[in-house]
Amino acid sequence: MRLQNLAVLAAFVSVSYAQNLTAFANALQSLGATTFGSIAANLSSTPQGQTAIQTLLSGGNFTIFAPSNDALAAVPESVTSNSSALLDVVLYHVLPGSFSSSNSSTPVLMSATFPNHTLGRTLLNSTESEGNVSQVLAWTKEGNTISFLNQPTNVSVVNSTRVEGAQIDIYLINGVLTSPPTLTTLVSNSTNTTSLGGLLNNTFITGSDGSNTTLGNYLSQGTITAFAPINAAFSAIQSSLSSLATNQSGLITVLQNHLINGTALYSTEIANNTSQTSAAGETLHFSTNSSGTFVTSGSASAKIIQTDLLTSNGVVHLIDNVLVNLESDPAAASSAFASATSAAATETRAGPIAASATGPNSGSSTTSGGGSNNAAGALIMNLHSCTFSVATVISFVLGAYMI
Ligand SMILES: *[C@@H]1O[C@H](CO)[C@@H](O)[C@H](O)[C@H]1NC(C)=O
Ligand SMILES: *[C@@H]1O[C@H](CO)[C@@H](O)[C@H](O)[C@H]1NC(C)=O
Ligand SMILES: *[C@@H]1O[C@H](CO)[C@@H](O)[C@H](O)[C@H]1NC(C)=O
Ligand SMILES: *[C@@H]1O[C@H](CO)[C@@H](O)[C@H](O)[C@H]1NC(C)=O
Ligand SMILES: *[C@@H]1O[C@H](CO)[C@@H](O)[C@H](O)[C@H]1NC(C)=O
Ligand SMILES: *[C@@H]1O[C@H](CO)[C@@H](O)[C@H](O)[C@H]1NC(C)=O
Ligand SMILES: *[C@@H]1O[C@H](CO)[C@@H](O)[C@H](O)[C@H]1NC(C)=O
Ligand SMILES: *[C@@H]1O[C@H](CO)[C@@H](O)[C@H](O)[C@H]1NC(C)=O
Ligand SMILES: *[C@@H]1O[C@H](CO)[C@@H](O)[C@H](O)[C@H]1NC(C)=O
Ligand SMILES: *[C@@H]1O[C@H](CO)[C@@H](O)[C@H](O)[C@H]1NC(C)=O
Ligand SMILES: *[C@@H]1O[C@H](CO)[C@@H](O)[C@H](O)[C@H]1NC(C)=O
Ligand SMILES: *[C@@H]1O[C@H](CO)[C@@H](O)[C@H](O)[C@H]1NC(C)=O
């Protein structure tokens, strides 16, 4: 039984730490999560793994999703033989804070009923985002089953236990959780957003390092919330798109009015009658009525039809209409980005992600009344120095749904 590795390790540490390790090992064993325990034990031979386990056992509240032995048996050798990749897998399964809605020795995972979601920040950091923000997990409850969102295969919670004497809840799950894909992969992989995928792949800009890169790659850096129009939305505004074909900066402004720069805004943070500032510096207003939640930019509105598609640097919400707003306010855009970046540095990691009264970018922002069609922000500056055929992009986008 390799789980005994943990107990052996205990012989080299303080009594208190040894006790905590043993209690942790026993809890994993009672759930049958012995492979996860063995991985944890193996990782403690690396400094990073040791730090992670020490943090976990030092007395704070933690929530662990421990994959079953069967689930872990399917993890490829390329991951299991790479301690850094393996640590990332483990870190994505550990969340600071308590997500339990009961105080018994068999904790019940806090969950919202479908279509609502519960979201938590894991110990895995995003390498693409400003300020090291954490990668997020989302789950929902349908009937009696709590399952995770955006996973390539269904993963659900099957049992739970609490580590004796510690504030650590362990939930046994029947799969290994996969951390979020890039924006381009996500959008390309969904049959409903291939038009947007084409736009991201076929628009070339000069990246901040001077390289020639796709818009999709550019938007995979830094924290981004994207309101992504589905294919049918592009088809509905064909004529507006065609007229934008000769207006590069206009097209980019429209795109930027679908983004929040520097902030990952999850569904649980989108409250009725609140606003955010778009990457173009315009107000994005949210409203909820009996038919759903809507986002408005300028005079364009769209219904949010699917929320919390997680990406490695933020989140995507699908919308049913393109927000054709050509207005921009570069000063408001940079100020929103600056406050979002400083807010990310003091992000609260423990517990469920929920709306805060004074979230980043929230509240009433100053919008430009000037109706300037000027390029907004550095993205536009980059576009000026690039070769990119809007016509090609438009024809790609339009072409995608015509097939
Ligand atoms: C759930 O876990 C407990 C230990 O915490 C164990 O006794 C029980 O048998 C498990 N239940 C199932 C259905 O595996
Ligand atoms: C832990 O390490 C041992 C020795 O290197 C190895 O045989 C075992 O497969 C590892 N366990 C897991 C779950 O990776
Ligand atoms: C062991 O766990 C207890 C309670 O969770 C905590 O107070 C203590 O600091 C831990 N000991 C060590 C060495 O981390
Ligand atoms: C752990 O979570 C419980 C329940 O949410 C809470 O009462 C307690 O204060 C938390 N402890 C710490 C150290 O945060
Ligand atoms: C959950 O979803 C339902 C139906 O969409 C909605 O009416 C309700 O307000 C949501 N609850 C929360 C807490 O967001
Ligand atoms: C993740 O980022 C936080 C905040 O910067 C940092 O404290 C923590 O050590 C990082 N975790 C890892 C595993 O790198
Ligand atoms: C993309 O789709 C393919 C096949 O449909 C699937 O195997 C893969 O896991 C998906 N990738 C992501 C990141 O969802
Ligand atoms: C995505 O497309 C499929 C069929 O292509 C459809 O059944 C589904 O409802 C769409 N989802 C959204 C959110 O539009
Ligand atoms: C975008 O490019 C990536 C590879 O760089 C590819 O996997 C994906 O399928 C492309 N998406 C579309 C919609 O063409
Ligand atoms: C959303 O807010 C508006 C304005 O305050 C209000 O009229 C409307 O009833 C609210 N919608 C819901 C679902 O509470
Ligand atoms: C986000 O803001 C930064 C700083 O102003 C800028 O460099 C970047 O281009 C912006 N990104 C987008 C998508 O607008
Ligand atoms: C960027 O790469 C694309 C595709 O390879 C190419 O069509 C375009 O001319 C390049 N732009 C610049 C500025 O090199």
Side-chain angles (χ1 to χ4, degrees):
M1 175 64 52
R2 295 210 182 86
L3 203 50
Q4 281 165 358
N5 289 359
L6 280 173
V8 170
L9 196 80
F12 301 96
V13 295
S14 72
V15 172
S16 161
Y17 188 52
Q19 282 169 346
N20 291 357
L21 269 176
T22 307
F24 180 52
N26 285 339
L28 285 173
Q29 193 149 33
S30 78
L31 288 175
T34 50
T35 305
F36 190 76
S38 160
I39 289 173
N42 280 8
L43 283 176
S44 64
S45 65
T46 69
Q48 296 84 352
Q50 218 165 66
T51 305
I53 290 170
Q54 266 167 357
T55 307
L56 187 64
L57 298 177
S58 63
N61 278 336
F62 280 98
T63 297
I64 298 177
F65 294 114
S68 66
N69 291 356
D70 284 352
L72 283 165
V75 174
E77 164 98 37
S78 57
V79 174
T80 51
S81 63
N82 176 336
S83 64
S84 150
L86 202 53
L87 180 60
D88 282 355
V89 170
V90 170
L91 292 177
Y92 192 58
H93 288 76
V94 181
L95 285 63
S98 169
F99 288 79
S100 173
S101 56
S102 97
N103 207 23
S104 80
S105 60
T106 309
V108 176
L109 183 64
M110 185 186 284
S111 61
T113 304
F114 182 82
N116 298 345
H117 304 158
T118 307
L119 296 115
R121 302 185 199 279
T122 71
L123 286 185
L124 181 66
N125 290 342
S126 163
T127 49
E128 292 88 1
S129 296
E130 289 96 3
N132 254 351
V133 300
S134 51
Q135 297 283 7
V136 162
L137 264 174
W139 61 89
T140 191
K141 183 174 183 180
E142 259 183 294
N144 286 324
T145 307
I146 298 176
S147 47
F148 294 87
L149 271 68
N150 311 315
Q151 293 296 317
T153 59
N154 273 337
V155 180
S156 50
V157 175
V158 292
N159 200 355
S160 71
T161 194
R162 182 162 288 170
V163 178
E164 206 185 318
Q167 293 164 319
I168 303 175
D169 294 337
I170 308 181
Y171 298 91
L172 184 70
I173 58 175
N174 60 6
V176 178
L177 298 165
T178 306
S179 62
T182 65
L183 175 67
T184 310
T185 305
L186 177 92
V187 161
S188 297
N189 229 27
S190 159
T191 53
N192 294 318
T193 48
T194 45
S195 294
L196 183 62
L199 188 67
L200 297 179
N201 269 3
N202 294 283
T203 308
F204 291 92
I205 69 163
T206 304
S208 36
D209 62 353
S211 66
N212 181 18
T213 188
T214 63
L215 186 58
N217 284 343
Y218 187 80
L219 295 179
S220 297
Q221 302 295 317
T223 311
I224 298 272
T225 299
F227 292 90
I230 57 171
N231 294 349
F234 281 105
S235 82
I237 60 132
Q238 200 180 148
S239 57
S240 312
L241 276 182
S242 304
S243 69
L244 277 177
T246 50
N247 180 0
Q248 283 194 16
S249 69
L251 184 69
I252 292 300
T253 301
V254 168
L255 179 83
Q256 284 184 308
N257 274 318
H258 291 77
L259 307 173
I260 305 172
N261 192 7
T263 299
L265 185 76
Y266 299 96
S267 65
T268 50
E269 301 172 297
I270 299 179
N272 183 28
N273 209 17
T274 59
S275 298
Q276 296 280 327
T277 302
S278 79
E282 294 294 304
T283 297
L284 284 173
H285 186 257
F286 303 103
S287 58
T288 303
N289 64 29
S290 57
S291 50
T293 297
F294 296 79
V295 55
T296 301
S297 175
S299 58
S301 257
K303 183 178 176 181
I304 301 177
I305 53 179
Q306 194 178 337
T307 57
D308 301 324
L309 300 170
L310 306 173
T311 68
S312 53
N313 68 320
V315 62
V316 172
H317 308 294
L318 299 188
I319 57 176
D320 70 349
N321 192 19
V322 181
L323 302 168
V324 184
N325 180 6
L326 288 154
E327 312 275 307
S328 67
D329 182 343
S334 13
S335 129
F337 176 76
S339 59
T341 304
S342 65
T346 57
E347 164 184 279
T348 306
R349 295 202 160 204
I353 300 175
S356 69
T358 53
N361 286 354
S362 67
S364 58
S365 64
T366 332
T367 49
S368 73
S372 120
N373 254 0
N374 287 342
L379 184 53
I380 291 293
M381 307 281 285
N382 291 330
L383 276 163
H384 280 281
S385 63
C386 82
T387 60
F388 115 118
S389 158
V390 182
T392 311
V393 171
I394 300 282
S395 74
F396 188 92
V397 171
L398 295 180
Y401 70 87
M402 287 177 182
I403 309 165

